[in-house]
């Protein structure tokens, strides 16, 4: 199934094939893509650089599997058992999966271990929900009638995923899709496709019938675009940039397929003077620097109340200077490289732009060079103070370890700044005052608001998604399962 490549470059680098209809098959174009480590430049893996034909083969396999009913009409207990087995296998294979994930993304190994463990939890959660899909009885609209609602799987789902949390974000889609009885064609990012192929292998080994999970790789604007446009696909679930989300929404209109889009953010992280300042410093640090800032919900706009600004920024800047940027395999590394050259250029461009726009750099400053840094794509954690919310560094998603800092006088001003954005994915508020906490939590236009926490662990229990241009639909929780089901109203007239 997986072929070992030879050569000094990287003895463990694997060549994956497309996974279609339960088989490993060569890509139709014969071309391949080499993924090189963002930390060292070494070869990590090769994947097929497929075309429209690969996408169509994947779609046909998923369509045939769905229509055959072996999964879509399987007893709930069978689907739940497969999902529980996926969770168990992810835990059994935690270390090799985390090592591959770490190589692909460049994230420190302990972070990759956490991601695999969190992904496993998602399958267990939806195994539980799969057992409890239930409709309603509506019995009061007429004396001689009974109304029932039943939920049915939506059908074939196209899943298009990014590179920042490749195993977790795809699991947010696959677990509820499989729980509902859907079949899937997944198009992972070419930078991190190996872990998705491994996940497909695990799902098949766990007992999902052939064609229930298919993985095809190739250019996003070819393979991904075909999934979004195909009339044989009933729903597309996407995580990635807002720009591509809009493209997918347009392509999906051809057959009015259902969409769920989880897109970008510029999330406000609001610190009030009455907060536990040390906790807020720690949370703000984690909020912006996790995964080298490559997080859709990163707390990239820090709003600090004027009276505690100096104390807060002194602590946060000192903490930031302790970050150890380096090779993700080194256990002392706390921040790995960025994902690819385009992302490196983007971060460096915004750091220059911040200076041009007149913000004051407190620490950081772009690319790290010299010695081992020259082999990879490393940037410094960077803080800009005296930012105006109208600046590009406050309005545009940088997707790197770059923090924009502003101040506010009171809750009304904080709310005005927090909501002055096209995005609405997440936000955090730090305060000990319950009135302030609820005023902010209710007033912020975002799909998630944390109080006295950042990136905290309500997942997979709580729904996740964006207001405004941060997306459409919700993942996780009960809402995340509903996205993969239709509702049918059955009306019985008593004779
Ligand atoms: P992207 O949005 O281009 O890629 C995401 C996925 O969409 C990938 O699998 C890609 O191959 C696919 N894709 C690309 N073009 C497509 C098309 N026309 N039709 C269908 N699928 C297509 O994101 P990219 O280029 O990797 O990163 C650019 C920026 O996007 C980042 O700097 C960041 O701001 C944002 N981003 C946001 C993420 C999030 O979690 N919300 C994740 C990754 C990126
Ligand atoms: Mg792109």
């Amino acid at each position: 199934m997986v072929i070992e490549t030879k050569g000094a470059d990287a003895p463990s680098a694997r060549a994956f094939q497309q996974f279609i209809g339960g088989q490993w098959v060569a890509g139709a174009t014969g071309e391949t893509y080499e993924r090189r480590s963002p930390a060292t430049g070494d070869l990590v893996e090769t994947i097929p650089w497929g075309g429209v034909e690969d996408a169509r083969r994947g779609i046909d396999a998923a369509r045939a599997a769905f229509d055959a009913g072996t999964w879509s009409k399987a007893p709930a207990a069978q689907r739940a058992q497969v999902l529980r087995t996926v969770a168990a296998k992810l835990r059994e294979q935690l270390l090799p999966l985390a090592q591959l994930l770490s190589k692909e993304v460049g994230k420190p190994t302990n972070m990759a271990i956490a991601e695999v463990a969190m992904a496993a939890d998602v399958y267990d959660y939806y195994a539980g929900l799969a057992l409890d899909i239930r409709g309603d009885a509506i019995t009061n609209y007429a004396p001689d009638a009974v109304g029932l609602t039943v939920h049915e799987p939506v059908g074939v789902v196209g899943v298009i995923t990014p590179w920042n949390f490749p195993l977790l974000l795809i699991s947010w889609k696959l677990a509820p899709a499989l729980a509902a009885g859907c079949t899937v064609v997944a198009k992972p990012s070419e930078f991190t496709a190996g872990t998705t192929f491994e996940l497909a292998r695990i799902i098949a080994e766990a007992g999902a019938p052939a064609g229930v999970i298919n993985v095809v790789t190739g250019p996003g604007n070819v393979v991904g675009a075909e999934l979004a446009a195909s009339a044989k696909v009933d729903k597309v679930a996407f995580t990635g940039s807002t720009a591509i989300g809009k493209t997918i929404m347009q392509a999906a209109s051809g057959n009015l397929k259902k969409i769920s889009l989880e897109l970008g953010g510029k999330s406000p992280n609001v610190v009030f003077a009455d907060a536990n300042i040390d906790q807020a410093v720690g949370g703000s640090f984690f909020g912006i620097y996790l995964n080298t800032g490559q997080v859709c919900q990163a707390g990239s706009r820090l709003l600090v109340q004027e009276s505690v600004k100096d104390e807060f920024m002194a602590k946060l800047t000192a903490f930031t200077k302790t970050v150890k940027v380096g090779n993700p395999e080194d256990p002392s590394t706390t921040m790995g490289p960025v994902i690819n050259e385009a992302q490196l250029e983007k971060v460096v461009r915004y750091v220059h732009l911040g200076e041009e726009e007149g913000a004051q750099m407190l620490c950081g400053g772009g690319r790290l060079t010299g010695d081992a840094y020259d082999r990879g794509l490393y940037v410094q954690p960077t803080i800009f103070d005296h930012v105006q919310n109208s600046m590009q560094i406050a309005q545009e998603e940088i997707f790197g370890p770059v923090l924009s800092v502003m101040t506010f006088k009171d809750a009304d001003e904080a709310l005005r700044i927090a909501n002055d954005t096209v995005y609405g994915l997440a936000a955090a508020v730090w305060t000990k005052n319950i009135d302030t906490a609820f005023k902010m939590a209710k007033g912020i236009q975002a799909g998630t608001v944390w109080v006295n926490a950042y990136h905290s662990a309500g997942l997979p229990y709580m729904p996740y998604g964006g207001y405004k241009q941060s997306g459409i639909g919700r993942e996780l929780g009960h809402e995340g399962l509903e996205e993969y089901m239709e509702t049918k109203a059955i009306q019985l007239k008593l004779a």
Side-chain angles (χ1 to χ4, degrees):
M1 61 178 70
V2 162
I3 304 157
E4 299 287 325
T5 56
K6 297 189 175 61
D9 207 353
S12 64
R14 284 174 284 182
F16 290 94
Q17 293 188 305
Q18 310 284 39
F19 189 69
I20 298 174
Q23 307 288 325
W24 297 96
V25 297
T29 62
E31 290 174 44
T32 56
Y33 173 85
E34 282 191 348
R35 173 56 175 157
R36 294 198 164 265
S37 158
T40 60
D42 293 342
L43 186 67
V44 175
E45 64 207 8
T46 62
I47 59 164
W49 199 233
V52 174
E53 200 185 321
D54 301 66
R56 290 186 181 154
R57 286 166 70 188
I59 292 166
D60 286 345
R63 186 79 262 164
F66 186 85
D67 295 344
T70 48
W71 183 253
S72 52
K73 296 192 169 82
Q78 185 186 332
R79 294 199 307 276
Q81 177 59 31
V82 168
L83 290 170
R84 277 194 302 271
T85 307
V86 172
K89 284 178 178 286
L90 284 170
R91 292 187 188 110
E92 277 162 28
Q93 299 169 43
L94 187 112
L95 201 56
L97 285 168
Q99 284 164 342
L100 181 61
L101 185 62
S102 168
K103 281 196 172 75
E104 286 180 334
V105 186
K107 64 177 72 187
T109 311
N110 60 344
M111 298 290 173
I113 287 172
E115 181 174 343
V116 181
M118 286 168 75
D121 291 346
V122 179
Y123 295 92
D124 268 340
Y125 176 74
Y126 281 106
L129 292 196
L131 293 173
D132 198 30
I133 295 171
R134 56 175 79 196
D136 243 325
I138 295 100
T139 54
N140 59 351
Y141 63 86
D144 57 349
V146 174
L148 301 172
T149 61
V150 297
H151 298 296
E152 298 179 343
V154 149
V156 173
V157 182
V159 163
I160 302 171
T161 44
W163 39 259
N164 53 343
F165 292 90
L167 209 57
L168 187 63
L169 298 180
I170 199 166
S171 298
W172 290 8
K173 299 164 179 59
L174 286 180
L178 298 179
C182 295
T183 62
V184 173
V185 188
K187 205 299 290 171
S189 165
E190 63 266 31
F191 306 110
T192 54
T195 42
T196 300
F197 282 120
E198 293 289 2
L199 179 61
R201 171 182 62 74
I202 285 171
I203 292 170
E205 287 173 3
V212 169
I213 172 73
N214 307 275
V215 179
V216 285
T217 50
N221 62 4
V222 178
V223 175
E226 179 64 19
L227 296 185
S230 171
K232 295 178 186 171
V233 175
D234 303 297
K235 175 192 163 81
V236 63
F238 171 80
T239 298
S241 62
T242 295
I244 298 298
K246 291 178 183 178
T247 305
I248 285 172
M249 191 171 178
Q250 283 176 336
S253 73
N255 68 331
L256 283 176
K257 62 173 64 66
K258 293 182 179 300
I259 51 172
S260 48
L261 307 173
E262 203 266 275
L263 309 174
K266 196 74 189 179
S267 298
N269 177 31
V270 187
V271 180
F272 284 85
D274 64 6
N276 178 322
I277 294 298
D278 289 336
Q279 277 178 13
V281 168
S284 304
F285 176 91
F286 185 50
I288 182 62
Y289 299 132
L290 176 70
N291 213 39
T292 319
Q294 302 168 128
V295 184
C296 48
Q297 64 183 28
S300 51
R301 286 188 299 146
L302 174 63
L303 278 56
V304 189
Q305 199 162 20
E306 276 174 358
S307 57
V308 288
K309 162 84 182 317
D310 291 345
E311 177 197 354
F312 191 91
M313 291 316 299
K315 286 182 169 172
L316 183 61
T317 307
F319 199 1
T320 298
K321 287 178 179 166
T322 69
V323 172
K324 189 160 176 301
V325 182
N327 190 314
E329 282 171 31
D330 178 342
S332 70
T333 291
T334 53
M335 186 186 285
V338 295
I339 191 81
N340 56 29
E341 283 79 6
Q343 210 52 43
L344 178 77
E345 279 165 26
K346 186 176 178 185
V347 171
V348 170
R349 177 159 43 84
Y350 275 106
V351 169
H352 289 313
L353 184 64
E355 292 185 292
E356 281 166 31
E357 287 185 302
Q360 183 197 341
M361 194 188 292
L362 295 184
C363 61
R367 186 169 191 176
L368 278 160
T369 52
D371 300 326
Y373 287 135
D374 290 337
R375 294 184 62 208
L377 309 171
Y378 296 95
V379 297
Q380 291 170 278
T382 300
I383 300 178
F384 279 114
D385 198 358
H386 300 292
V387 172
Q388 301 292 321
N389 199 50
S390 56
M391 291 178 183
Q392 278 171 269
I393 58 165
Q395 289 291 324
E396 296 171 14
E397 185 176 54
I398 300 173
F399 228 62
V402 182
L403 181 64
S404 295
V405 184
M406 292 164 264
T407 55
F408 64 90
K409 286 192 178 60
D410 55 25
D412 286 321
E413 188 183 18
L415 268 182
R416 191 180 51 70
I417 299 171
N419 288 333
D420 178 15
T421 169
V422 298
Y423 294 115
L425 191 57
V429 182
W430 301 83
T431 178
K432 286 182 183 156
N433 183 309
I434 194 159
D435 297 321
T436 309
F438 272 104
K439 180 185 171 88
M440 296 299 293
K442 290 187 76 173
I444 291 175
Q445 297 154 358
T448 293
V449 181
W450 295 287
V451 178
N452 296 323
Y454 211 102
H455 295 318
S456 84
L459 313 177
Y461 310 95
M462 298 196 69
Y464 185 80
Y467 280 33
K468 301 198 272 186
Q469 292 191 36
S470 288
I472 294 179
R474 290 294 177 271
E475 304 197 275
L476 300 176
H478 288 255
E479 291 87 343
L481 181 58
E482 284 161 18
E483 298 272 344
Y484 294 91
M485 294 187 299
E486 288 279 14
T487 299
K488 180 180 285 173
I490 300 176
Q491 300 185 25
L492 287 86
K493 176 92 163 63
L494 307 184

